[in-house]
Amino acid sequence: MSRPPTNDVPPAWPGPTAAGLPAPPSLPRYTLPLAFGLQAVVSAGDGLVLIALASRVYQGSHTSWAVAAVFLAVTIPITALAPLAGLLLDRLPPRPVLVAAAAGQAVVALALTQVAGIGPVLALATGFGVCAAVLQPGLGAIVPRLVGPAGDASQPDQAGRAAQARRARITRANGYLQAATWGGFTLGPLQAAALVAAGGTGLALVGVAAIYALGTLGLCVLPLAPPDPPAGQADTGRGGLASQLSAGLRFLRQDVDAGLLVLVVGVMVVFANMAVVAEVAFAESVLRAGPTGYSMLVAAWSIGMLAGTLAGGRLPERRLALATLVGTLATGAGVALAGTAAVLWQAAAAYAFGGLANGLEVVATRSFLNHRAPPQVAGRVFAVYSGVLFGAASLGMAAAGGLLGSLNPRVVLFLAGGGGLVAAGVGALFYARRHFRVARSPRPQPVPDPAAPAVTAPSEEAPQGTGSSEEASQGTGSSEEASHETAPPEETPDLTASLERASQLTEPSERAPHPTEPSERAPHPTAPAATAPPLDRSAGRPQLSPASGGRPPTAPPPRADRE
């Protein structure tokens, strides 16, 4: 599967082109601030509805399994419906799909105010999961359409700089959007506490409906740039329904770096959510800090996440994959360090560090997928990514619930942090090994053009009158031998710097010579004259942008690079 062609990336700031042609209309200035506000509103609704539903089923049953069932009712549909949700996002205009999902959540919240009992509540909670299966990946897939329209790239000398500027804005937008996500998700539980205290869970669910209704109105007026042109030969799965549904998964299998990052992050999320369950008992029974200590741990992680997401928006594109791996490693280290804490402030400091690393990882991963996923399958790629995250979270919470019955919470934190460290370490090893092999693979050599006139070597006994030519050719040969002898030997890449080299490989490289490119060496003076008429070699040859060397390659790596 090929990456998006770099020639189709719009200018950094739309305006008149160098040729005087009108550029696509720019987005209003309020687009990104409105998107940040909407992300915060939707996230606040997510945090509020989880607390309201958990309180509602616990008040009716007084059993912990009912609370766990509520979380599973919301998260399982996000994972199970990921392929279908992604297909809807790729095949239909995103605005009506997202508006329908947000409106559906508002309707479900109103319906919950009229039912009682665990069964009906769990059934309607599943409706939240179905709507979230579309809303969560959709909000991630539209980020490139929030930073600017796809402009005319007919001016090759400006296309490279424009592409880099737009990609940097996408990464920065992801940083602000994820900061808004965590800000809203932190505000949601506080709103739930106030509404439940004032009027019970029914009033809290009315507040959920109002928040999602506000998000629906905002999505209706949110400006979106036109979609990017289709990306080359991207595999969109046109053979049948099953092939279309699995296009996002196939992309992650064929783009080795993207698939590796999603896999590593998914494994890390399993262990991180083991810590989410264990930290309650750790704060109250091990550190003896009570509910206040637990609140401080959650607040420390949230503050670190906010700082990490804002810092992640400044990451350069060539460092995104490396930042994902390093952030995953540091997240596991933060959880493991919290397990060694003897007092509350030590655990809070470790959690702040882990949250900072987690924020960097989230922004880096999402931005990497925004840059690599072709527009035709971006919705399905983000749907798979969201499904992996929510499925991993459910698995980690279920595993922690079983382990806490027989292990000390401190031990569970050690396991959670150590698992994240191992996942990140193995992922970094595979990433470095693969790019080290890519660096050592030889560059393809140009193939001589069969249509070019043959070049004959000078005979040993040249006729008179050709002595100067022979001497010139001998001089040329000696010069070539001298330059060959004085050329420095090729250095072998250092294994200890493989991660740094891997991140630098995403920088632009020079275009490989075309297989039919004619040799630049002129025919020898003694070569026979060509009897055939000159060929027009410009016909049918693809026109490569002079600025294509300023952006990442658009074709899949050679077979040797993908081993």
Side-chain angles (χ1 to χ4, degrees):
M1 182 175 297
S2 60
R3 301 176 194 168
T6 52
N7 290 348
D8 293 335
V9 180
W13 293 106
T17 60
L21 300 176
S26 59
L27 293 175
R29 292 183 178 272
Y30 64 82
T31 300
L32 284 177
L34 177 59
F36 302 151
L38 284 175
Q39 187 72 54
V41 167
V42 172
S43 299
D46 294 340
L48 174 56
V49 71
L50 290 177
I51 301 299
L53 287 176
S55 300
R56 195 170 185 84
V57 298
Y58 188 77
Q59 291 174 2
S61 64
H62 297 285
T63 57
S64 58
W65 68 263
V67 177
V70 166
F71 288 103
L72 292 177
V74 174
T75 57
I76 287 178
I78 299 177
T79 302
L81 298 179
L84 180 60
L87 184 61
L88 290 176
L89 292 169
D90 287 332
R91 289 290 181 261
L92 300 177
R95 186 192 307 279
V97 175
L98 297 178
V99 168
Q105 289 183 322
V107 172
V108 170
L110 289 177
L112 279 167
T113 62
Q114 306 300 318
V115 300
I118 298 178
V121 171
L122 291 180
L124 288 174
T126 305
F128 274 111
V130 172
C131 295
V134 176
L135 194 59
Q136 293 294 332
L139 293 175
I142 65 171
V143 173
R145 298 182 61 178
L146 295 174
V147 300
D152 182 13
S154 58
Q155 300 299 321
D157 56 340
Q158 300 178 2
R161 293 190 299 271
Q164 294 177 0
R166 185 173 187 256
R167 289 169 181 251
R169 295 207 314 277
I170 290 174
T171 303
R172 192 173 300 115
N174 270 317
Y176 288 125
L177 287 170
Q178 291 307 304
T181 297
W182 277 90
F185 201 78
T186 303
L187 182 62
L190 299 178
Q191 293 175 330
L195 292 174
V196 170
T201 57
L203 181 60
L205 290 171
V206 171
V208 171
I211 288 178
Y212 283 128
L214 182 61
T216 302
L217 294 177
L219 288 171
C220 288
V221 299
L222 179 66
L224 293 177
D228 290 348
Q233 302 295 327
D235 182 7
T236 59
R238 301 176 185 235
L241 180 60
S243 179
Q244 294 181 33
L245 291 174
S246 61
L249 185 59
R250 283 200 309 276
F251 168 80
L252 293 176
R253 290 178 59 186
Q254 295 173 9
D255 191 320
V256 180
D257 289 343
L260 176 64
L261 295 184
V262 171
L263 179 61
V264 170
V265 170
V267 175
M268 184 272 293
V269 170
V270 173
F271 291 102
N273 279 271
M274 290 173 56
V276 169
V277 177
E279 66 195 20
V280 182
F282 178 71
E284 296 191 7
S285 63
V286 177
L287 298 179
R288 307 292 181 183
T292 302
Y294 172 62
S295 300
M296 289 187 63
L297 290 181
V298 174
W301 190 278
S302 299
I303 292 173
M305 280 288 299
L306 287 174
T309 53
L310 292 175
R314 302 292 178 178
L315 289 170
E317 182 186 354
R318 66 181 182 275
R319 306 294 186 196
L320 291 177
L322 189 61
T324 296
L325 296 171
V326 173
T328 304
L329 187 73
T331 301
V335 175
L337 286 174
T340 66
V343 292
L344 179 61
W345 71 265
Q346 295 175 346
Y351 259 48
F353 173 75
L356 175 68
N358 193 195
L360 284 169
E361 173 270 313
V362 168
V363 174
T365 305
R366 297 176 75 91
S367 300
F368 189 87
L369 294 179
N370 277 134
H371 298 329
R372 298 288 281 262
Q376 307 97 298
V377 296
R380 281 166 281 186
V381 170
F382 271 90
V384 173
Y385 173 63
S386 296
V388 168
L389 295 186
F390 281 94
S394 302
L395 182 60
M397 290 182 180
L403 291 174
L404 285 172
S406 57
L407 296 178
N408 185 282
R410 188 186 295 275
V411 177
V412 176
L413 281 182
F414 277 132
L415 292 177
L421 287 171
V422 171
V426 173
L429 180 63
F430 274 99
Y431 182 82
R433 180 175 177 270
R434 171 169 134 52
H435 283 275
F436 179 68
R437 294 178 64 182
V438 171
R440 296 191 62 182
S441 61
R443 290 177 175 267
Q445 298 297 326
V447 180
D449 188 356
V455 179
T456 59
S459 58
E460 296 180 359
E461 297 180 359
Q464 293 184 2
T466 61
S468 60
S469 301
E470 181 177 357
E471 293 173 0
S473 62
Q474 292 177 354
T476 304
S478 60
S479 300
E480 292 179 353
E481 293 176 359
S483 62
H484 178 71
E485 293 175 356
T486 58
E490 182 180 357
E491 296 182 359
T492 302
D494 187 4
L495 182 57
T496 59
S498 54
L499 273 177
E500 181 67 21
R501 178 180 294 275
S503 62
Q504 294 175 356
L505 287 175
T506 57
E507 296 179 347
S509 59
E510 296 183 356
R511 176 178 66 90
H514 194 274
T516 59
E517 195 78 30
S519 173
E520 295 181 357
R521 182 182 299 177
H524 195 273
T526 61
T531 59
L535 298 176
D536 183 8
R537 299 194 187 106
S538 63
R541 179 168 300 176
Q543 299 298 321
L544 299 179
S545 168
S548 61
R551 295 180 298 281
T554 61
R559 179 173 299 177
D561 298 348
R562 301 192 333 198
E563 294 179 356

